[in-house]
Amino acid sequence: MTTFNDNFSKQASIYAQFRPSYPHELYDYLSNLTTAHDLAWDCGTGNGQSAIHLADFYDSVYASDPSQAQIQNAFAHDRVTYHIEKAESSTLKDRSVDLITIAQAIHWFDFDKFYQEAKRVIKKDGIIATWAYGIPSIERTIDPLIKHFHDKIVGPYWPIETKSIDQEYTTIPFPFREIEPPEFYIRKRFKLEDLLGHLRSWSATQLFIEKEGYNPIDNLQMELEKLWGDLNQPKNCSWRLYLRVGKLPA
């Protein structure tokens, strides 16, 4: 397999522990759009957090990611098979997939090559869906600190590909007949340590540590502790999904 920009292997175990899972309602909605439920492809699966949910709706889930470390930390499921391969070159058969999902990953892909591959493997009446989420919303006093950390502290260390997330995926190419989806939110109860773990899983945070030689979360933690209250008390966290859904052109 050819090389790729691996932004997550170093923190793969942190990623698996602290990245929020997506709402069950999202998968229910997507599954209702496909006429058959034989095979779903979760592309750029990471630790498989989407793949295992798709297995509730599809007989088989093909989950792929080029990162061996991510696959090694993936969640096991008897209807999910994991494959270490790039999105642009799968071993799937032509016209075999009912649903393609790309969660928090498509901005890393070579769009032209991936879409060519997607159109090869998807069934004529299949569905493709890609989504991402930005920074969490917690409380009025806490949110500005997280945004400042995201934009200013680790901001210079975000890869250019992630700008499309800041633009809510409105600028990525999507050569399909689009379906207007409802809004979906990730909702979690996070203790402060969970939130800090989530921020630590960001690729920009890891690059900051690598380049600067210290962890920028240490300073943020002190500020958040002043606002959090009981550190053992979880708070409601939410992330809005930036979702695009489509079908093959007629």
Side-chain angles (χ1 to χ4, degrees):
M1 184 177 63
T2 57
T3 59
F4 71 104
N5 292 326
D6 190 346
N7 296 282
F8 298 101
S9 286
K10 289 183 179 179
Q11 71 267 31
S13 60
I14 303 173
Y15 191 103
Q17 183 178 359
F18 293 109
R19 284 295 174 109
S21 58
Y22 306 108
H24 185 81
E25 294 79 9
L26 170 65
Y27 303 104
D28 184 52
Y29 164 73
L30 294 174
S31 70
N32 284 327
L33 295 177
T34 64
T35 56
H37 298 83
D38 301 320
L39 178 62
W41 177 22
D42 188 44
C43 187
T45 194
N47 58 27
Q49 64 185 44
S50 286
I52 59 172
H53 289 292
L54 288 168
D56 291 337
F57 300 94
Y58 291 85
D59 296 338
S60 180
V61 179
Y62 185 102
S64 65
D65 198 283
S67 169
Q68 182 176 353
Q70 286 280 33
I71 296 298
Q72 287 174 339
N73 283 276
F75 304 109
H77 194 288
D78 58 2
R79 288 202 294 277
V80 178
T81 58
Y82 289 100
H83 305 263
I84 302 173
E85 58 188 26
K86 296 179 70 176
E88 298 85 355
S89 54
S90 77
T91 54
L92 285 158
K93 295 180 180 179
D94 294 357
R95 295 287 184 264
S96 62
V97 178
D98 298 298
L99 173 67
I100 299 174
T101 57
I102 315 100
Q104 201 76 6
I106 203 169
H107 48 278
W108 303 115
F109 295 177
D110 180 317
F111 293 124
D112 291 340
K113 291 181 179 179
F114 169 66
Y115 288 136
Q116 182 179 356
E117 180 71 354
K119 290 175 180 178
R120 179 185 70 81
V121 304
I122 198 169
K123 293 179 180 178
K124 289 185 177 180
D125 57 353
I127 294 292
I128 182 170
T130 182
W131 62 86
Y133 59 87
I135 60 178
S137 177
I138 303 172
E139 289 180 353
R140 180 177 54 83
T141 55
I142 292 174
D143 290 356
L145 288 180
I146 298 174
K147 182 169 177 54
H148 180 264
F149 179 81
H150 177 279
D151 294 350
K152 303 299 183 182
I153 304 301
V154 300
Y157 297 92
W158 285 110
I160 191 170
E161 292 89 346
T162 61
K163 289 187 180 297
S164 62
I165 299 178
D166 297 333
Q167 295 160 341
E168 301 181 0
Y169 267 16
T170 58
T171 58
I172 63 168
F174 197 65
F176 300 93
R177 286 187 291 150
E178 290 211 49
I179 299 168
E180 186 67 30
E183 282 195 346
F184 293 97
Y185 289 84
I186 301 170
R187 303 189 192 278
K188 296 283 288 186
R189 295 275 289 168
F190 265 4
K191 294 181 180 179
L192 178 56
E193 62 181 324
D194 301 319
L195 174 63
L196 296 175
H198 173 66
L199 303 182
R200 197 163 62 248
S201 77
W202 287 356
S203 59
T205 305
Q206 292 299 311
L207 187 57
F208 182 106
I209 294 170
E210 179 182 326
K211 297 296 185 182
E212 302 297 336
Y214 71 95
N215 191 340
I217 289 180
D218 293 342
N219 292 330
L220 177 64
Q221 180 174 352
M222 290 188 291
E223 296 182 72
L224 288 173
E225 285 177 349
K226 299 174 186 177
L227 300 173
W228 198 270
D230 184 351
L231 300 183
N232 293 315
Q233 182 64 35
K235 294 183 182 293
N236 293 323
C237 300
S238 66
W239 298 255
R240 185 168 69 86
L241 292 185
Y242 313 134
L243 173 64
R244 297 184 72 174
V245 182
K247 303 179 72 172
L248 287 174

